[in-house]
Amino acid sequence: MMSNVVVVDNGGGLIKAGIGGERDPTCVVPNCTARPSSSKKWLVADQLLSPSEDLTSATLRRPFDRGHLINPDLQSSVWAHLFTNLLKINPASSSLLLTEPLFALPSIQHAVDEIIFEELNFRALFVADSPSLVHLYEASRRPYGLVSKAQCSLVVDCGFSFTHAAPVLQNFTLNYGVKRLDLGGKALTNYLKELVSYRSVNVMDESFIMDDVKEKLCFVSLDVQRDLKIARRPGKDNLYRCSYVLPDGITHMRGFVKDTNEAKRYLALHENEAPFLAGGKDYVELQDGSDNPKDKRNIDLTKTEFSLTNERFLVPEMIFRPADLGMNQAGLAECIVRAVDSCHSHLHPALYESIILTGGSTLFPRFAQRLEMELRPLVPDEYQVKITTQEDPILGVWRGGSLLASSPDFEAMCVTKAEYEELGSARCHRRFFH
């Protein structure tokens, strides 16, 4: 028996790593290194999460760019830190289940195998893709549900670099049916940076801060025209205005939402409410009354804070309507329809009825609701559309990997170090059907 199976969901933005068989990973850390502007020392992974580190204008290096591993040496050093300091495992007596992006180039696969077996010295390796692990996890959670009974699903993974709509059948991703949208969390953060820099304060170098702003304040609009009108209202009548306080490097090293009640006022507005458009006074009743007069929009000269209004819903809007922002791409709903249409017609009803959302970018409030609104008119009437959001979309892939790693068949699926040394990298990838 192999003593340990280490499971690593190696995302472009976050690495989720832990021991197979556990429910949750040991750590979820940024897949990058960064050097604070005030320091010469590069911080790696978990060190970037320390509340005492000021990451304002930090220089950032990532192993991944646009979903491809472009710096294997950097990835190797992040992994070495992870295995030695965070997981505290001995690779020589462990096997590794590693996720790899769909359609990884053979040269990259070869570089990864080299790191795993030659530098880190793992005993065995299994390479998996994200959609099949998500499918496996969801099927195991509901053994009598459609995903499990039909043995197929459509996994929509909105990750850091891309968004994929991937049909999965009997735990295998149907590569010919996978459709990709070149938009993910990184592009959304970059768009938010541009909007805020244009309107209030230059945040083009603030990746960590703007990720936080996006995660805490952005949401999906169910009626963009209506919401744009509300966002143009002055003062308290604008339910979307809220402020974010930047780190000052002295009293607080992290940015924060100035008034969380103010930030949540938009939740009081439901999709069928129209008094806002008519300029009636009904909307005043939806106010919290929590506004402190001292908190009035004082973006003062020191630029310690900025306010957001329509940016909050215009940023996630990119996923649904990239063409409106000048991108020559179809939106997510069309991407899903194309993926389903690539599969045999017998699978269509089951795929539309078992759409699974995973990845951090699906966490925006109202994401699934908006996707269903967009998708329903594009899908034949005789098919049902059912969208499932994972209980934790950031951990869904890892949990599937943990489940697979604890199955009795797992060891037989791996490529051992001895096989790698005898037959080389090509053998590994034939084994994994890539």
Side-chain angles (χ1 to χ4, degrees), residues 285-302:
E285 292 163 18
L286 295 172
Q287 306 300 325
D288 262 322
S290 61
D291 282 48
N292 186 328
K294 288 187 296 198
D295 286 349
K296 286 287 179 234
R297 274 196 73 201
N298 58 340
I299 300 184
D300 60 19
L301 296 173
T302 54

Side-chain angles (χ1 to χ4, degrees), residues 14-15 26-34 42-53 55 77-88 208 254:
L14 293 171
I15 294 184
T26 309
C27 56
V28 178
V29 294
N31 190 5
C32 61
T33 61
W42 286 90
L43 303 174
V44 57
D46 57 306
Q47 296 165 356
L48 299 167
L49 303 175
S50 162
S52 59
E53 291 292 350
L55 297 174
S77 65
V78 172
W79 282 344
H81 172 82
L82 194 73
F83 299 136
T84 308
N85 302 317
L86 299 180
L87 298 182
K88 299 183 168 57
F208 288 109
R254 294 283 190 263

Side-chain angles (χ1 to χ4, degrees), residues 219-227 313 317 365-366 370:
F219 61 89
V220 172
S221 168
L222 299 179
D223 184 342
V224 178
Q225 294 311 314
R226 178 204 64 181
D227 289 343
F313 57 86
E317 190 64 18
R366 302 176 177 168
R370 170 68 184 276

Side-chain angles (χ1 to χ4, degrees), residues 270-326:
H270 298 292
E271 57 270 26
N272 55 358
E273 287 182 30
F276 299 85
L277 303 187
K281 296 203 170 136
D282 309 22
Y283 60 83
V284 177
E285 292 163 18
L286 295 172
Q287 306 300 325
D288 262 322
S290 61
D291 282 48
N292 186 328
K294 288 187 296 198
D295 286 349
K296 286 287 179 234
R297 274 196 73 201
N298 58 340
I299 300 184
D300 60 19
L301 296 173
T302 54
K303 294 284 190 196
T304 55
E305 64 177 69
F306 57 85
S307 69
L308 294 167
T309 56
N310 60 11
E311 299 93 338
R312 296 179 67 187
F313 57 86
L314 286 179
V315 167
E317 190 64 18
M318 282 180 89
I319 295 176
F320 299 98
R321 297 284 165 90
D324 291 359
L325 296 154

Side-chain angles (χ1 to χ4, degrees), residues 156-197:
V156 177
D157 185 355
C158 296
F160 179 75
S161 307
F162 312 125
T163 296
H164 281 112
V168 181
L169 181 63
Q170 295 175 342
N171 284 343
F172 285 102
T173 301
L174 305 178
N175 281 354
Y176 59 82
V178 174
K179 298 297 174 233
R180 186 171 96 187
L181 189 59
D182 288 326
L183 274 174
K186 185 180 181 183
L188 300 188
T189 300
N190 286 343
Y191 184 44
L192 183 59
K193 283 184 196 173
E194 286 173 25
L195 292 175
V196 172
S197 298

Side-chain angles (χ1 to χ4, degrees), residues 352-355 371-372 375-376 379 383-387:
Y352 280 126
E353 216 175 315
S354 50
I355 296 170
L371 180 57
E372 191 167 340
L375 203 49
R376 188 61 270 184
V379 175
Y383 298 153
Q384 278 190 301
V385 172
K386 187 160 182 287
I387 298 173

Side-chain angles (χ1 to χ4, degrees), residues 329-374:
Q329 292 203 50
L332 181 56
E334 206 170 315
C335 186
I336 289 170
V337 172
R338 287 178 182 177
V340 172
D341 284 348
S342 305
C343 301
H344 194 286
S345 58
H346 289 173
L347 292 176
H348 292 190
L351 290 173
Y352 280 126
E353 216 175 315
S354 50
I355 296 170
I356 304 168
L357 298 183
T358 192
S361 297
T362 65
L363 281 167
F364 292 116
R366 302 176 177 168
F367 188 100
Q369 213 178 334
R370 170 68 184 276
L371 180 57
E372 191 167 340
M373 281 170 57
E374 297 269 322

